[in-house]
Amino acid sequence: MGTAKTPVLWTTGAPGTGKSTTAWGLYRRVVEADGNVAYVDIDQLGLIGPPPGGGDAAHAIKAANLLRVLEILRARGVAQLVVSGVVDPEKPYIESRDFALTLVRLTCDRDELRSRFLGRGSPAAALPDLFAVADVYDRAGFGEEMDTTGQRPEETVEALFHRCAVEAGTVRPPDPGQPRPGPVTVVTGPTAVGKSTAAFSALRDLWERDLPVAYVDLAQLGFAHPGPDPALEAALLSAVWRGYRDAGAKRLIVVAREFLPEHRRVFDEVTVVHLDADEPSLTERVRRRAEGESALLAGDELRGAPPGVRDRVAARAVAEAARMRRSGGDRVVLDTSGQEPPETAAALLAVVAQ
């Protein structure tokens, strides 16, 4: 008898239809039920540029990286995989005998799509492009259509939760693989210090210089229960970097709160740049994050957080910073106290460009 296929529930749809919110909600529901589950945002698997790496080739790069990631998670024993993200309307499926794919295409009426899109801070000038994408998806008609007009996000999650496998499963250690060549720059630092903002700004500058660079936010590869699992993160990091190298990337920027020995073993050649900041700076950056001054990513504990939560996160960030200062290690330390994001980004870019 063959090995059973691993179920993959993939939510897709035009921007603003709720695909990421729904998938994250499903992942959290399975975690709360103590199921062995992982969540993957396909948009995190195609951060390579400049175009054509990030242009027309993006769908193919994401699809290849997604299959690598899913195979590692399957080998680890994950019982339910949840994926979100835009697919190629011409070829929207995973081609593998190892997975049982349920592709759900979320839709809503145009008035609601407009209000959701604008409500998350997207520009009104992008509405014509949004509606054009929605039209393409509607015409392609792939997957199972689910109309979410008038639904709250938790209602959409509830409607799909019964489609998920909730099983404990057996966790198996991943294959660490061979170290991969660099150059790789890893940006570390305490919560809310500004790692992602600075690193992504540096990335875009390098793209403007026509340098083929890829980017990984390690936290976005860590959504697996039971977890956290640094060995699994390392295996996924190695696989994604291999995919980016195959697509032509010559350099990698990784963002990670901490760069552990398991992560370091992935690379032959790595430079760690540690961002530090004093207590007033960290407290202020926590406040800004809570008020929406950063990209919204899965697992963000701060967006819209009330003052009590902000205070706890700020205290944790200050404690992390103190502990990280004591830990030392082979790294470049940038003190970002009192800096605005463009100043920190410029300082980081100067190190990366060396």
Side-chain angles (χ1 to χ4, degrees):
M1 292 187 51
T3 306
K5 293 184 177 184
T6 302
V8 179
L9 198 159
W10 185 339
T11 55
T12 188
T17 53
K19 54 189 176 295
S20 299
T21 302
T22 300
W24 178 252
L26 287 168
Y27 168 72
R28 293 303 311 164
R29 280 294 306 273
V30 180
V31 167
E32 288 160 9
D34 209 24
N36 188 337
V37 60
Y39 165 65
V40 182
D41 175 358
I42 193 172
D43 292 338
Q44 296 294 321
L45 306 181
L47 295 171
I48 174 176
D56 293 340
H59 283 306
I61 293 168
K62 290 177 186 177
N65 267 343
L66 177 65
L67 197 51
R68 291 183 180 97
V69 164
L70 294 186
E71 285 169 346
I72 289 169
L73 292 168
R74 172 179 163 81
R76 193 230 193 195
V78 171
Q80 174 68 57
L81 292 156
V82 181
V83 177
S84 67
V86 171
V87 298
D88 183 350
E90 302 298 320
K91 190 182 178 186
Y93 302 107
I94 303 168
E95 293 180 351
S96 171
R97 70 185 73 180
D98 292 330
F99 301 101
L101 173 65
T102 301
L103 186 67
V104 179
R105 178 169 48 89
L106 302 180
T107 64
C108 63
D109 68 33
R110 292 299 187 264
D111 286 343
E112 185 154 334
L113 185 59
R114 177 196 303 271
S115 65
R116 290 183 189 179
F117 187 73
L118 297 177
R120 68 183 200 181
S122 300
L127 283 169
D129 289 341
L130 169 67
F131 294 147
V133 169
D135 288 342
V136 168
Y137 270 48
D138 288 346
R139 284 196 300 272
F142 54 79
E144 301 177 21
E145 181 181 359
M146 182 174 181
D147 186 350
T148 65
T149 304
Q151 280 188 352
R152 299 192 308 276
E154 54 270 28
E155 292 174 319
T156 308
V157 169
E158 197 60 41
L160 287 171
F161 179 58
H162 74 281
R163 309 285 293 274
C164 293
V166 182
E167 300 173 15
T170 302
V171 176
R172 298 183 286 272
D175 177 4
Q178 296 299 310
R180 302 209 174 276
V184 176
T185 303
V186 179
V187 184
T188 64
T191 299
V193 74
K195 302 180 291 295
S196 299
T197 301
F200 209 80
S201 176
L203 177 76
R204 296 186 74 88
D205 278 335
L206 293 168
W207 285 354
E208 287 172 8
R209 298 179 191 187
D210 217 29
L211 296 171
V213 187
Y215 176 94
V216 173
D217 182 338
L218 192 56
Q220 296 294 307
L221 297 182
F223 298 127
H225 179 80
D229 186 344
L232 175 63
E233 293 165 2
L236 296 176
L237 178 60
S238 177
V240 172
W241 176 220
R242 188 178 87 215
Y244 284 147
R245 283 177 57 81
D246 288 351
K250 303 297 185 191
R251 179 186 292 264
L252 177 66
I253 297 175
V254 179
V255 170
R257 185 178 303 171
E258 293 189 83
F259 195 56
L260 301 173
E262 293 91 337
H263 305 143
R264 188 177 285 273
R265 283 196 289 269
V266 170
F267 304 115
D268 281 338
E269 179 186 351
V270 63
T271 301
V272 178
V273 183
H274 181 75
L275 305 187
D276 193 10
D278 59 20
E279 181 171 347
S281 297
L282 287 173
T283 303
E284 170 66 9
R285 289 171 197 175
V286 166
R287 182 192 66 77
R288 288 183 177 185
R289 274 267 302 276
E291 292 175 359
E293 283 192 30
S294 63
L296 180 59
L297 295 171
D300 190 332
E301 62 188 333
L302 276 172
R303 179 68 65 95
V309 173
R310 297 184 199 182
D311 291 346
R312 285 196 296 275
V313 174
R316 191 184 77 212
V318 170
E320 286 172 358
R323 176 174 55 77
M324 291 174 176
R325 270 179 225 122
R326 293 192 298 270
S327 68
D330 182 13
R331 61 189 184 178
V332 178
V333 177
L334 298 179
D335 185 352
T336 70
S337 301
Q339 289 183 349
E340 289 299 312
E343 296 175 87
T344 302
L348 175 61
L349 180 63
V351 177
V352 174
Q354 289 174 0

